[in-house]
Amino acid sequence: MMKKLLLLLFFFSALGATAQQKIGLVIHGGAGTIKKENMTPEQDKEYRQKLQEALTAGYAVLDEGGTSLEAVTTAVQILETSPLFNAGRGAVFTHDGKNELDAAIMDGNTGLAGAVAAVSHIKSPILAAQAVMLHSPHVMLVGEGAEQFAREQGLEMVEPEYFFDQRRFEQLKRVQEREKEQGSLYSPNQPGSYQGKDFHFEDYKFGTVGCVAVDEYGNVAAGTSTGGMTNKRYGRVGDVPIIGAGTYADNETCAVSATGHGEYFIRNVVAYDIAALMKYEDLSLEEAAEKVVMEKLVEKGGSGGVIAIDREGNIAMPFNSEGMFRGYMKEDGEPHVFIYKGE
Ligand code: ASP
């Protein structure tokens, strides 16, 4: 009897040991022309503090036994509420002076995903994306339909003014002034237009936010939220809410959240490409992410970066732009935050 009991005990503790995986969380707050010389020490500090706040809050969820999905929504919501980033409050403006937000989330365990696009009244687009994933048979809802759904789900709705940020509005005005002087960079029939060498990254400033995480159950998740790109027209939707482009998660490979010039990320199916290289070419997470961001995207002229994590807790944060607001927290429980290349 005693022997049986001991065997059972041994069996359950072994189960527990395999269930307990390394936890880890990575966030980004957008990539672009982020140069040290263009930032005041105060701005630098403010960004780092906010990134650290999001990291520690997301990591605490994992540390307390929460799921990667819970950690992702916690970290992203903190960045959405901050006007420093182009997501939620502080989102960039469309050509018509509005804020139209996109977000997506994916669960690497179930393979389920949810997304919203072009919404203007949902306080937290990442929560709306999660509601689509968990409480609807669909993957992506857009515009008024998405807002009606969010309302029915009891999510917090706001007046569009909630998203207003003076700094972003001035950014739009600058871009539009330049358009007047130089003629529009936008040419609907020319895929390279609005994207070529005349493209001024400083003013279209990215600043999308995202988070990827792995929990103690070995499940990965990814979430991304954005206002898109300054001066966007005609209900433009970027890569963020497109599963496989800006957001992707699969326990078998990795979770990815991207930031950068969305059109390139869509055409090159960036997030899924990283997972596919791991799955079919047997590349490590780091090799796959490097190849896609530093080689494939660069060849095509696409600027930006990604954050990625696998179920072993390996992480990658490559970017081919000047800088990327980013950070990670792993088993040592210390937040590591970076803005520029190497620091
Ligand atoms: N990828 C986003 C978009 O194109 C922009 C960004 O990452 O800042 O909508």
Side-chain angles (χ1 to χ4, degrees):
M1 180 66 194
M2 192 60 191
K3 213 171 159 192
K4 262 192 184 162
L5 211 72
L6 276 174
L7 261 174
L8 264 177
L9 257 175
F10 175 74
F11 176 67
F12 281 115
S13 61
L15 250 189
T18 51
Q20 187 85 24
Q21 302 254 346
K22 278 188 191 161
I23 56 173
L25 182 122
V26 193
I27 58 171
H28 71 74
T33 315
I34 309 161
K35 287 190 191 161
K36 200 170 183 178
E37 57 265 32
N38 298 340
M39 292 261 258
T40 64
E42 293 73 40
Q43 283 173 324
D44 182 288
K45 196 168 156 208
E46 231 187 323
Y47 275 104
R48 285 181 198 268
Q49 270 172 356
K50 207 26 107 180
L51 289 168
Q52 192 160 326
E53 184 190 330
L55 268 178
T56 39
Y59 191 83
V61 171
L62 296 174
D63 209 26
E64 284 153 21
T67 67
S68 49
L69 275 178
E70 287 164 338
V72 164
T73 51
T74 301
V76 169
Q77 273 183 91
I78 289 176
L79 300 172
E80 279 182 338
T81 354
S82 162
L84 291 176
F85 302 97
N86 169 20
R89 244 179 101 214
V92 298
F93 285 86
T94 67
H95 186 69
D96 301 327
K98 296 188 188 137
N99 303 109
E100 291 179 356
L101 316 170
D102 303 335
I105 195 160
M106 187 158 184
D107 179 354
N109 180 33
T110 58
L112 291 175
V116 293
V119 296
S120 303
H121 294 85
I122 303 174
K123 185 176 181 194
S124 171
I126 196 72
L127 287 187
Q130 178 170 253
V132 174
M133 173 173 82
L134 298 177
H135 307 299
S136 92
H138 307 300
V139 172
M140 192 193 293
L141 302 179
V142 305
E144 278 172 25
E147 297 190 344
Q148 185 187 335
F149 172 77
R151 219 169 272 121
E152 285 172 14
Q153 288 294 314
L155 294 183
E156 193 171 346
M157 307 300 285
V158 289
E159 288 308 314
E161 295 73 55
Y162 166 80
F163 300 108
F164 184 89
D165 179 64
Q166 188 62 33
R167 212 167 47 105
R168 295 290 189 205
F169 194 66
E170 279 156 20
Q171 224 168 53
L172 172 71
K173 293 289 144 208
R174 275 204 303 277
V175 168
Q176 293 186 331
E177 276 301 307
R178 195 158 50 224
E179 251 191 13
K180 259 195 236 143
E181 287 162 20
Q182 304 179 345
S184 177
L185 300 175
Y186 185 87
S187 157
N189 299 320
Q190 193 191 329
S193 77
Y194 209 57
Q195 304 164 11
K197 55 180 176 344
D198 286 341
F199 195 84
H200 299 274
F201 291 116
E202 320 87 67
D203 280 337
Y204 291 82
K205 189 157 313 179
F206 309 137
T208 293
V209 308
C211 179
V212 294
V214 61
D215 58 31
E216 66 176 64
Y217 318 101
N219 295 323
V220 298
T224 321
S225 183
T226 189
M229 286 173 80
T230 302
N231 207 26
K232 63 185 183 181
R233 291 164 160 87
Y234 310 125
R236 178 261 191 193
V237 172
D239 58 317
V240 165
I242 297 179
I243 300 305
T247 309
Y248 187 72
D250 178 7
N251 272 0
E252 245 193 87
T253 51
C254 62
V256 181
S257 168
T259 173
H261 199 161
E263 279 70 8
Y264 288 85
F265 283 69
I266 296 174
R267 286 195 292 259
N268 294 289
V269 203
V270 163
Y272 180 72
D273 199 20
I274 294 171
L277 283 172
M278 291 177 72
K279 189 164 176 171
Y280 301 118
E281 295 288 330
D282 224 16
L283 262 54
S284 71
L285 176 85
E286 219 180 346
E287 288 165 346
E290 282 281 319
K291 190 171 183 62
V292 172
V293 175
M294 309 308 281
E295 293 177 31
K296 293 176 110 178
L297 261 181
V298 169
E299 271 165 35
K300 305 269 183 191
S303 173
V306 303
I307 51 168
I309 199 163
D310 66 17
R311 62 186 319 189
E312 264 78 58
N314 298 307
I315 64 163
M317 315 186 286
F319 57 97
N320 62 35
S321 48
E322 290 286 343
M324 180 165 90
F325 297 107
R326 63 202 186 279
Y328 70 87
M329 244 173 121
K330 297 218 288 195
E331 298 270 276
D332 68 356
E334 285 296 320
H336 303 271
V337 170
F338 310 86
I339 301 181
Y340 323 103
K341 282 178 189 145
E343 55 173 321

